[in-house]
């Protein structure tokens, strides 16, 4: 057999191996979210109500549906900017006493064993960068994902809701610690932004295209700010609201989706389907690149 033919056969063989390797890698990157079962809340408080009061019925329904009464919810306090995890645990136990569940913080025992024995997992407020650093450093993030993707119920509020995102790229927290990766829990293939507030939406009833923002604001330069520094309505550098920050994310991640939750709102995730929850008419907003912002009403079902 001639050398050229041998080289051709070899190249074909290498190509087949490369395609096989690509196929295997693609399979590894596919996440089965069909069993994800989660309640995600923007905040533990809303409009001066008692803690969790606005979400009380959502909690009760979630616990009853998943038959969690009397069972153990493993609480992960990582992310809170305090070393007194026991005090944080006690506070959450008091606020959620109406659920008739056992809430036990992960810091009392071996974290890996605690996650393995969890009937449900809960993560609350804090700093998202600190939370993700500690989840990776304690080597439990893989196990948490396995539990969630196998159907273990998950409850997250504030930072705990943001942690369900694909990545940390839309975090509104200060990056006060260094993290190994931008990857979050990947419970959803999109971004969750809790505590959402928009100056534009408050003044324009929610009708704003990110396309308008990108055209008018994203290409700003320092000269325009200096020349307009004395203008009455000038926005100072660094004071962009959440909507504008989301616009910046979508400008460079154009296939991304962001679900922004006002403090009155939450999401109920069941497999590949979701339901918007809100104590007011519309508290969940869907953002995509160059598309009209979509306001989701309370109890509105959608596919994320």
């Amino acid at each position: 057999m001639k050398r050229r033919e041998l080289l051709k056969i070899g190249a074909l063989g290498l190509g087949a191996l490369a395609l096989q390797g690509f196929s295997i890698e693609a399979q590894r990157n596919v996440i089965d979210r069909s069993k994800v079962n989660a309640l995600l809340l923007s905040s533990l408080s809303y409009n001066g109500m008692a803690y969790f009061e606005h979400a009380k019925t959502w909690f009760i329904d979630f616990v009853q549906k998943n038959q969690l009464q009397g069972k153990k919810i493993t609480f992960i306090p990582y992310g809170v900017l305090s070393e007194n995890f026991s005090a944080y645990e006690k506070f959450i136990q008091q606020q959620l006493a109406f659920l008739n569940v056992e809430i036990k913080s992960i810091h009392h025992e071996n974290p890996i064993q605690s996650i393995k024995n969890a009937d449900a997992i809960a993560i609350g407020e804090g700093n998202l960068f600190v939370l993700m650093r500690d989840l990776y450093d304690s080597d439990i993030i893989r196990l948490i994902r396995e539990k969630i993707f196998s159907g273990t119920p998950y409850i997250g509020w504030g930072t705990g809701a943001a942690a369900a995102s694909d990545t940390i790229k839309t975090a509104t927290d200060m990056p006060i610690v260094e993290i190994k990766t931008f990857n979050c829990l990947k419970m959803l293939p999109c971004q969750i932004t809790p505590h959402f507030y928009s100056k534009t939406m408050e003044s324009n009833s929610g009708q704003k295209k990110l396309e308008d923002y990108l055209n008018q604001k994203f290409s700003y330069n320092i000269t325009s700010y200096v020349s307009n520094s004395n203008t009455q309505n000038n926005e100072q550098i660094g004071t962009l609201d959440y909507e504008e920050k989301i616009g910046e994310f979508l400008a460079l991640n154009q296939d991304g989706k962001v679900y922004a939750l006002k403090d009155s709102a939450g999401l109920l995730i069941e497999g590949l389907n979701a339901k918007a929850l809100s104590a007011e008419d519309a508290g969940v907003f869907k953002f995509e690149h160059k598309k009209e912002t979509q306001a989701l009403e309370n109890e509105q079902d959608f596919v994320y």
Side-chain angles (χ1 to χ4, degrees):
M1 187 176 293
K2 295 182 179 180
R3 174 187 168 102
R4 182 175 297 179
E5 292 175 343
L6 286 172
L7 291 174
K8 185 177 180 180
I9 293 172
L12 289 172
L14 288 173
L17 287 173
L19 287 173
Q20 183 181 15
F22 176 80
S23 177
I24 293 173
E25 185 62 28
Q27 292 175 18
R28 289 174 180 168
N29 290 333
V30 173
I31 298 175
D32 181 5
R33 297 182 172 90
S34 62
K35 296 181 180 179
V36 171
N37 183 16
L39 176 63
L40 308 177
L41 306 178
S42 176
S43 178
L44 54 74
S45 62
Y46 165 66
N47 202 27
M49 296 181 181
Y51 292 116
F52 296 119
E53 182 65 29
H54 68 294
K56 193 170 184 178
T57 58
W58 306 337
F59 268 106
I60 293 173
D61 290 346
F62 188 77
V63 166
Q64 290 180 347
K65 184 174 182 178
N66 291 285
Q67 300 179 339
L68 292 174
Q69 298 95 328
K71 293 186 178 180
K72 177 185 175 182
I73 296 180
T74 295
F75 177 60
I76 302 176
Y78 302 162
V80 66
L81 302 183
S82 168
E83 294 182 357
N84 194 346
F85 290 158
S86 293
Y88 188 23
E89 173 193 37
K90 184 177 180 179
F91 169 75
I92 296 301
Q93 288 171 338
Q94 292 172 342
Q95 302 307 318
L96 295 179
F98 62 88
L99 291 178
N100 188 30
V101 296
E102 178 191 0
I103 298 176
K104 187 173 182 180
S105 175
I106 198 173
H107 76 279
H108 290 299
E109 57 184 327
N110 180 282
I112 293 177
Q113 199 61 41
S114 182
I115 295 297
K116 285 182 177 180
N117 296 334
D119 296 312
I121 298 170
I123 301 179
E125 298 279 6
N127 181 285
L128 186 56
F129 288 87
V130 175
L131 170 66
M132 297 313 301
R133 179 201 63 181
D134 291 351
L135 291 181
Y136 278 102
D137 286 354
S138 59
D139 201 30
I140 59 173
I141 191 163
R142 179 188 57 80
L143 184 57
I144 292 174
R145 287 179 180 141
E146 287 179 359
K147 292 279 285 187
I148 290 172
F149 295 140
S150 65
T152 298
Y154 176 89
I155 302 172
W157 59 90
T159 301
S165 299
D166 184 41
T167 73
I168 204 170
K169 293 179 181 179
T170 53
T172 56
D173 296 322
M174 289 288 289
I176 57 178
V177 295
E178 188 173 358
I179 54 177
K180 297 178 180 178
T181 171
F182 276 13
N183 291 331
C184 285
L185 291 176
K186 292 187 173 293
M187 192 182 309
L188 304 173
C190 51
Q191 301 296 119
I192 304 295
T193 298
H195 306 305
F196 177 70
Y197 173 78
S198 168
K199 293 176 289 185
T200 304
M201 285 188 173
E202 292 297 321
S203 61
N204 293 325
S205 303
Q207 300 303 313
K208 178 181 185 287
K209 289 184 179 180
L210 285 176
E211 180 180 0
D212 296 338
Y213 163 67
L214 295 173
N215 290 338
Q216 297 172 15
K217 297 287 186 74
F218 190 72
S219 59
Y220 66 76
N221 56 64
I222 192 66
T223 305
S224 65
Y225 278 98
V226 172
S227 62
N228 294 318
S229 60
N230 295 322
T231 302
Q232 183 177 358
N233 295 322
N234 178 51
E235 287 185 326
Q236 298 299 315
I237 297 175
T239 61
L240 301 178
D241 71 4
Y242 283 11
E243 187 179 13
E244 293 170 331
K245 292 177 181 178
I246 290 171
E248 292 181 341
F249 165 78
L250 291 174
L252 298 180
N253 299 269
Q254 297 182 6
D255 59 345
K257 296 179 184 177
V258 181
Y259 290 93
L261 314 179
K262 296 176 71 173
D263 279 350
S264 61
L267 294 174
L268 179 63
I269 310 298
E270 296 179 337
L272 304 180
N273 300 306
K275 182 189 295 290
L277 304 172
S278 181
E280 53 185 328
D281 291 339
V284 179
F285 300 91
K286 178 183 179 182
F287 294 90
E288 294 181 273
H289 182 63
K290 291 191 175 182
K291 290 186 179 180
E292 188 79 25
T293 301
Q294 182 180 357
L296 303 177
E297 303 291 338
N298 182 39
E299 300 288 326
Q300 181 174 339
D301 296 314
F302 63 97
V303 178
Y304 58 78

